Amino acid sequence: MPLRSVPEKAYRWLDERMGLEDIFAFLRHKEVPQSSSSIWYYFGGVSLFLFLVQVTTGILLLMYYRPGTASSYESLQFIVSKVNFGWLVRDIHSWSANLMVLCVMIHMFSVFFLKSYRKPRELTWMSGMLLLVLVLTFGFSGYLLPWNQLAFFATKVGTDMTGSVPLIGDYVLKVVRGGQDVTGATLSRFFGLHVAVLPGIFTLVLSFHLFLLQRQGMSQPVDWEDLPPERKPVMPFFPNFVLREFIFWMCALAVINALAVFFPWELGIKADPFASAPAGIRPEWYFMFMFQSLKFLPAHVGPLEGEFLGLMLFNLAGVVWFFLPFWDRSGGRGGTARLVTWLGVFVVVYILVMTVLGYLLS
């Protein structure tokens, strides 16, 4: 039997059972809008790629990581010093997590400014917002796992905020920590959340998000609404868009590798619950704008604690942002649409300014 016929027979065997020809025919006919804003379309795919990097490197780390106050730090020390390329896997995992948060936020704001959340994409926007919340929770839960001094006190400060909620604060704090203080029980809960609960929920929401994207296609620029079809430039999804997306994935991989090699992630010193909190304790960069905003608030605002008021306002703003497609009913680029755009500009500037101040003043 000629060697060339083996893959052909294998392809025909699979095609008869999976309908591969129909899938390729669909991909060949699928088209993507091609405009000056097309570059923003790729950040969703890059976020997906970084999630796959997270899963792959996370599985590799799980082969050696042992959760527990007496073993977490030591197992990570073993990974970075004894396991072949263990330091590289851990640094890629850490840097890709940070880049994933950045890419998801860029993707969210690009969808906002391109008005791609409007009908019929309301559910696509809301599922994307859920993915952003899950990504941030991934970051917060994974931060404690090295069980070093910085992670211990940052988690303590972060979870302390839940205790400021009136009436239910103490109960929520005990549920999150597994007790009154950050202990081994907290570490076990965060580990289970990080490697089992969150990946499962994330996969379900991501599948729904991709399904909606597939059904509705990519949104067209707002100024295309009145153009006839022949004046709307498009490109084939396969291979043109897929190859461009692949180039972005390779660029992201190169950036992660460069960061991992030239800026390795410090392990720090092991957590000591009886030690004093180190100076300049602060959260990860994506929580810094909230952290700095809460620091600016006075201890009490009327009958409410300042910290609680700040958290309440951030949660309220998050709910308003989540339901954006239902209160922004403006079409095109008219007056109301411009007002919503300026609101988005204000949010971006506020996040950037508060983040920079957080680092300058800490």
Side-chain angles (χ1 to χ4, degrees), residues 204-274:
L204 288 175
V205 180
L206 178 62
S207 302
F208 181 62
H209 189 73
L210 294 177
F211 167 75
L212 291 173
L213 182 63
Q214 188 57 52
R215 289 290 297 170
Q216 298 163 344
M218 292 188 184
S219 68
Q220 298 178 355
V222 176
D223 51 6
W224 282 20
E225 288 180 355
D226 299 326
L227 291 180
E230 62 272 15
R231 292 188 59 191
K232 297 177 179 178
V234 294
M235 74 169 106
F237 178 78
F238 183 83
N240 299 45
F241 184 82
V242 171
L243 286 176
R244 286 171 170 79
E245 184 73 64
F246 183 71
I247 291 172
F248 271 80
W249 288 22
M250 292 303 99
C251 290
L253 185 61
V255 170
I256 295 169
N257 283 327
L259 289 170
V261 170
F262 295 110
F263 301 97
W265 214 261
E266 295 291 333
L267 185 55
I269 58 175
K270 185 175 178 177
D272 179 3
F274 301 104

Side-chain angles (χ1 to χ4, degrees), residues 1 7 38 45 69 85 145 156 187 256 262 293 315 353:
M1 183 171 57
S38 295
T69 54
F85 299 106
L145 300 189
K156 192 171 186 304
L187 182 60
I256 295 169
F262 295 110
S293 301
N315 283 319
V353 170

